[in-house]
Amino acid sequence: MTVVSNADSTSRLALLGGTPVRKSESQQYPMWSDEAKAEVGRLLDSGTAMGLSKEHPEIGAVEAALAAYHGVPWALGTSTGNGALHAALIGLELTTGDEVMTSPYTYGVSISCILQNNCIATFADVVEGTGLLDPTSVEEHLTDRTRALLVPHIFGNPADMTALGEIASKHALKVIEDGSQAHGARHRGVRVGAFGDASGFSANGVKPLAATEAGYMVAKEPNTYWNAVVSTQHAGMGEFPGRATESGFPEDLAPAVDALIYSYRLSPINAVLLLDALNRLEGDNEVRRKHLDLLKEGFDDLSAVSVPELLHDGDESAVHQVIVAFDPEAAGVSKATYMAALNAEGLYCHEYLHRPVHKAARLSPDWKGPRVMWTENLRRANYDATKLDLPHAQRQVENHFNLVWNYVEYDPQFINRIIDVFAKVEENLDSLRGFQDRSEGSR
């Protein structure tokens, strides 16, 4: 399908007092079926607010479905994506002093879960353009204390799990996938979540698989599941059957059944919403990809922006967000000015990170602010991530911005109006340059 811009090249930019192309329009997301809403109503009417194990029907159903979807034997529902990733670290017994290497270009939960389990978060660079962990840089930054890789699949795009898996095998490393933005994405035909020893997923209300606030861990080995269970879930109480009563619970873990847990339980209500969303996920992702194809076609005649390609031909993205590569020389204005013009036209765009995560002041062993649990560990390890030079991650921050992409009702004209915004801004770059020059001159 050919996308034709309707932008009026003579119209004044909204940033300069003109009329916006759009009115910040969006599509409703998430949406749940009438059946799911009725089931949630039934649970509320019955006072069913908690389920502690697979023996609860809603919990058992969604965990079985998630395991099957990812092609692994074990799934554990959690209250958040942070809880899912933390459960994965606990399940794999990664703890005191173990180095877990991850990406500097990801949401902070990919790092805080490592620190919260008493490990040292170390970093490698990313592949510029995608923001995905770079296997070559991983090899360069490994040490004899590295025990695992935690690999985020950013914005729905799958990382190179083939190359990273080979590195992990070579160095006897565990692999944790962070699929919190990539439910249903595929690398070389295999869904993410099936490559790692364990994987954590967020399922909050903006993710490709959306409940209200939830998450889940999937794992290949029973020990990973049960180790996570005894530290993140309730063993059981009274009339509520807990995880210790699930089939296959190991007898040797009985002494570990106590109240010393993180309460990362999944609610039955979110279990219903998750299962409902899972039934639509493949179709939703297909629409996201079709919309992205239309956007790319509309970008063909633009000079300042482009959409980077996936790492490997044949990989499939879940398109949680769209990465936009920005060329400041072609635009003649800064990224901030260009984004301000887009936002004024009614198209929300944002900078995913203002700096790579490894530059966070609280990751320095010399941090002097409010105490955090990991500072002493960093001092003992003599590791200061804030001093690392990871240039691709830095340029990813500087030269890219993002569009939200939860558009799962196929609507070419909706995407056309997004393209119109970009076309209008680019057709008025001269006036935008003048605006920027005047703004800088007034400082």
Side-chain angles (χ1 to χ4, degrees):
M1 173 179 178
T2 300
V3 178
V4 179
S5 171
N6 297 311
D8 180 359
S9 63
T10 64
S11 62
R12 191 179 188 190
L13 288 173
L15 186 65
L16 306 180
T19 302
V21 172
R22 303 169 79 240
K23 296 181 179 180
S24 299
E25 60 195 286
S26 189
Q27 292 185 358
Q28 181 181 338
Y29 186 85
M31 294 180 290
W32 294 292
S33 69
D34 290 341
E35 292 79 7
K37 288 183 280 189
E39 179 63 13
V40 168
R42 185 191 65 77
L43 290 174
L44 294 174
D45 288 343
S46 68
T48 304
M50 185 168 64
L52 300 183
S53 74
K54 285 178 167 59
E55 293 189 35
H56 187 101
E58 285 78 22
I59 302 296
V62 76
E63 289 183 347
L66 289 166
Y69 181 77
H70 289 286
V72 296
W74 299 92
L76 177 68
T78 60
S79 53
T80 63
N82 180 83
L85 289 168
H86 196 184
L89 287 152
I90 293 170
L92 294 171
E93 298 186 69
L94 296 163
T95 187
T96 307
D98 292 342
E99 291 185 1
V100 179
M101 184 170 290
T102 190
S103 168
Y105 192 78
T106 182
Y107 188 59
V109 166
S110 305
I111 291 91
S112 60
C113 63
I114 298 170
L115 302 170
Q116 288 161 356
N117 216 46
N118 227 21
C119 299
I120 307 299
T122 64
F123 296 90
D125 212 345
V126 300
V127 179
E128 189 178 354
T130 68
L132 296 165
L133 199 59
D134 181 1
T136 300
S137 183
V138 167
E139 285 242 72
E140 292 171 351
H141 287 87
L142 290 176
T143 76
D144 58 5
R145 298 179 300 279
T146 307
R147 297 291 178 265
L149 305 179
L150 192 153
V151 184
H153 302 292
I154 284 291
F155 310 136
N157 301 327
D160 188 349
M161 296 309 300
T162 300
L164 292 167
E166 290 171 355
I167 293 168
S169 179
K170 175 181 175 182
H171 297 279
L173 306 176
K174 298 293 186 182
V175 176
I176 298 171
E177 295 177 74
D178 180 355
S180 295
Q181 300 180 1
H183 315 73
R186 289 177 172 86
H187 169 64
R188 297 188 173 178
V190 178
R191 287 193 184 113
V192 301
F195 295 95
D197 296 282
S199 303
F201 292 81
S202 169
N204 67 34
V206 299
K207 297 300 171 62
L209 183 62
T212 62
E213 185 68 71
Y216 62 93
M217 179 197 80
V218 295
K220 290 181 176 178
E221 298 296 332
N223 284 349
T224 307
Y225 173 82
W226 293 117
N227 288 344
V229 158
V230 296
S231 286
T232 69
Q233 306 280 315
H234 204 296
M237 56 180 288
E239 73 273 26
F240 294 103
R243 297 286 180 175
T245 64
E246 285 186 2
S247 175
F249 184 84
E251 290 185 9
D252 61 350
L253 281 182
V257 175
D258 51 40
L260 303 175
I261 64 167
Y262 298 95
S263 294
Y264 291 153
R265 295 187 295 274
L266 176 67
S267 81
I269 290 169
N270 273 318
V272 169
L273 299 178
L274 265 179
L275 187 57
D276 186 56
L278 184 63
N279 291 332
R280 293 190 311 277
L281 180 58
E282 289 298 295
D284 286 354
N285 284 349
E286 182 60 29
V287 173
R288 288 186 175 96
R289 288 190 287 269
K290 286 181 178 179
H291 282 158
L292 179 57
D293 288 341
L294 294 177
L295 184 74
K296 288 179 178 179
E297 186 177 351
F299 272 20
D300 283 346
D301 295 327
L302 304 181
S303 61
V305 292
S306 60
V307 176
E309 296 298 325
L310 296 177
L311 286 176
H312 295 284
D313 290 341
D315 282 5
E316 286 188 339
S317 176
V319 201
H320 171 57
Q321 297 183 27
V322 173
I323 308 171
V324 179
F326 177 71
D327 184 343
E329 292 186 5
V333 296
S334 70
K335 184 178 75 171
T337 298
Y338 193 98
M339 290 173 63
L342 294 176
N343 278 305
E345 297 295 339
L347 175 62
Y348 173 69
C349 61
H350 66 283
E351 191 175 54
Y352 182 65
L353 296 175
H354 300 302
R355 64 187 174 194
V357 180
H358 74 287
K359 292 296 185 181
R362 291 196 297 167
L363 281 178
S364 170
D366 299 322
W367 169 247
K368 303 299 184 185
R371 296 176 69 189
V372 290
M373 66 182 72
W374 55 78
T375 305
E376 288 302 321
N377 286 338
L378 297 176
R379 288 174 182 161
R380 284 191 289 268
N382 193 30
Y383 186 79
D384 189 345
T386 66
K387 294 180 178 177
L388 286 177
D389 181 24
L390 301 175
H392 292 170
Q394 184 62 42
R395 287 196 293 271
Q396 184 76 25
V397 169
E398 292 171 354
N399 298 329
H400 298 81
F401 61 90
N402 287 57
L403 305 176
V404 296
W405 211 248
N406 282 328
Y407 309 135
V408 297
E409 295 291 323
Y410 186 63
D411 187 347
Q413 291 308 311
F414 183 91
I415 304 303
N416 214 4
R417 289 190 292 274
I418 292 174
I419 296 165
D420 286 344
V421 172
F422 282 93
K424 180 181 177 183
V425 170
E426 296 233 345
E427 289 162 356
N428 288 275
L429 283 174
D430 284 343
S431 59
L432 193 59
R433 292 172 192 131
F435 166 81
Q436 179 174 279
D437 291 343
R438 291 191 299 274
S439 299
E440 293 176 347
S442 65
R443 292 173 187 169

